[in-house]
Amino acid sequence: MSDHYETLGVTRTASEEEIKKAYRKLALKWHPDRNTSQGAKEKFQHINKAYATLINPQSRTAYDRGTSEFSNINAFDIFNQFFQGSNSFRTKSVDSIKYTISVTLEQVCCNKSISVKYKRATRCETCLGCKTRDGSLPVTCFFCRGKGQVRQQINLGGIIALPSLGKCEQCNGKGKTIPPEKKCRTCGGGGSSIKENKVVVKCNTILEKSVLYYDNQGAYNVDTGKYGLLQIILALKPHKEFNVIEKSIIKNVGITVFETILGHAGTVVHPNGEKIDYKTPEGELIIQNDICTIPGKGLNNEGDMIIKFKIIKEDKKLSQEKLKKLRQILI
């Protein structure tokens, strides 16, 4: 087991500031996103474990006595917490992104995949979100003295002036600022940059759920060092020929009065391209909104294909052939 003091390159009497300074330099050097050499990830883990143990007075004392130390730590959480300039882990909401995607019935039935491209804030690849060129921490804001708020006067009708607290515009309410000469050249001290991202969505997912969630595919939050959630809402586009109820597909078919008596046969083209033949039972009278059900031909081979009959008007005068067939049935 490596010695934590040796890992950070400090003496056993090192001050808190010396430990922070050593950690800042080593963490940026060995971060896996910046250092791709073999063993960099393990080295980064050791550095963060050493820092987490020695920066806390209680755990440092216990470590010096050989009694205990941190065992399960997340090196990236420690790194993010350190470079946000906080002395405690904070829980802030991260930036979520929401999109609504319309899919066609044909895309669903054919199990098509679509690429969803969008822009999002990503962590700066140069400063790794710490906002500065050399990894130094932001300094306390001179105007609000680190409080993020400044005193203001609110005038009521020009007669009464009430004291109030407002957000410090100099540090945008954060209590910390970065001197211009220290800002990262790539992101300008923002800690993030806008880039295009892509996720692939299977259209038939809408059969099970209409809202999809993707962890860490949202925007990068420089305050927490974490990525937010991507939420994609799937919406089925209205179809000019078919209606959908649950997993069944419904198609309205017009038939004549003559066909209501003699029967009707036809072919419907399924949204997946399959041709499906259907026929009404002989001798069965068809009335308005009667249906013909084709089992297992709904969405994704589930549900049914339902043919709903609508009686349409035709010429009142029937042909001799139609009259002959009607006489055969009725007599």
Side-chain angles (χ1 to χ4, degrees):
M1 182 184 296
S2 61
D3 181 81
H4 288 338
Y5 292 99
E6 292 180 1
T7 298
L8 294 180
V10 297
T11 65
R12 304 188 78 83
T13 58
S15 65
E16 180 180 326
E17 189 58 37
E18 288 174 325
I19 292 174
K20 286 183 177 180
K21 183 177 180 180
Y23 171 75
R24 183 184 301 118
K25 180 180 179 181
L26 291 171
L28 287 172
K29 177 182 178 181
W30 291 99
H31 194 291
D33 287 352
R34 177 176 283 183
N35 191 325
T36 57
S37 63
Q38 187 175 3
K41 187 174 182 179
E42 290 74 16
K43 180 73 172 177
F44 183 70
Q45 179 73 20
H46 291 322
I47 291 168
N48 282 274
K49 186 176 182 180
Y51 172 75
T53 302
L54 300 182
I55 200 61
N56 183 287
Q58 288 77 22
S59 62
R60 182 177 181 179
T61 300
Y63 175 75
D64 289 341
R65 292 175 179 172
T67 55
S68 65
E69 60 174 305
F70 289 124
S71 55
N72 297 322
I73 65 167
N74 188 310
F76 296 97
D77 280 347
I78 294 174
F79 178 88
N80 292 332
Q81 173 261 332
F82 178 87
F83 284 101
Q84 305 315 317
S86 170
N87 290 323
S88 62
F89 290 98
R90 296 173 295 175
T91 55
K92 286 188 177 182
S93 61
V94 290
D95 294 345
S96 296
I97 298 175
K98 181 188 293 186
Y99 279 98
T100 298
I101 305 298
S102 295
V103 295
T104 66
L105 190 55
E106 286 78 7
Q107 288 174 319
V108 173
C109 292
C110 296
N111 193 20
K112 295 290 185 179
S113 296
I114 55 176
S115 295
V116 181
K117 296 181 180 180
Y118 61 98
K119 294 185 181 296
R120 65 168 183 165
T122 60
R123 184 179 64 180
C124 175
E125 296 178 353
T126 303
C127 69
L128 300 179
C130 70
K131 305 178 184 180
T132 58
R133 298 180 188 178
D134 56 1
S136 59
L137 295 176
V139 298
T140 301
C141 176
F142 174 79
F143 288 88
C144 66
R145 300 188 182 278
K147 296 180 179 180
Q149 295 177 318
V150 292
R151 290 189 176 277
Q152 299 174 336
Q153 295 289 335
I154 300 178
N155 292 319
L156 300 179
I159 301 175
I160 303 175
L162 296 179
S164 177
L165 289 177
K167 184 176 72 174
C168 176
E169 299 297 335
Q170 187 68 23
C171 65
N172 197 31
K174 296 183 181 297
K176 302 283 185 179
T177 58
I178 301 174
E181 67 275 8
K182 292 281 189 177
K183 290 183 178 181
C184 171
R185 291 188 178 93
T186 302
C187 65
S192 64
S193 57
I194 302 299
K195 289 188 176 181
E196 187 176 84
N197 197 42
K198 180 181 74 173
V199 295
V200 178
V201 177
K202 284 188 172 294
C203 296
N204 70 350
T205 306
I206 197 174
L207 300 178
E208 304 300 331
K209 50 187 174 182
S210 60
V211 182
L212 309 178
Y213 297 97
Y214 297 83
D215 290 333
N216 301 317
Q217 297 299 319
Y220 179 71
N221 189 311
V222 294
D223 290 329
T224 62
K226 297 180 179 180
Y227 282 91
L229 195 69
L230 171 65
Q231 178 181 351
I232 293 182
I233 301 172
L234 295 177
L236 186 64
K237 288 183 180 179
H239 200 281
K240 63 180 181 180
E241 292 184 34
F242 300 102
N243 294 316
V244 176
I245 296 181
E246 295 182 348
K247 293 186 178 181
S248 291
I249 302 175
I250 302 172
K251 180 177 175 61
N252 292 329
V253 173
I255 60 173
T256 65
V257 174
F258 181 76
E259 288 175 310
T260 64
I261 301 173
L262 297 182
H264 172 79
T267 301
V268 60
V269 180
H270 194 281
N272 64 11
E274 179 186 0
K275 292 183 178 180
I276 303 172
D277 296 326
Y278 66 91
K279 184 179 181 180
T280 60
E282 291 185 6
E284 185 175 303
L285 184 66
I286 303 173
I287 63 175
Q288 182 81 338
N289 293 323
D290 266 357
I291 61 173
C292 174
T293 301
I294 308 169
K297 293 300 181 179
L299 296 174
N300 202 26
N301 292 324
E302 300 178 28
D304 305 318
M305 171 67 74
I306 299 174
I307 308 298
K308 181 179 284 189
F309 297 111
K310 300 292 183 180
I311 301 174
I312 59 176
K313 293 182 179 180
E314 61 174 349
D315 293 337
K316 293 182 179 180
K317 187 175 181 180
L318 299 177
S319 65
Q320 291 299 318
E321 182 181 355
K322 289 182 178 181
L323 287 172
K324 183 179 179 180
K325 288 184 178 181
L326 281 175
R327 291 193 183 99
Q328 292 174 348
I329 294 173
L330 298 175
I331 296 175

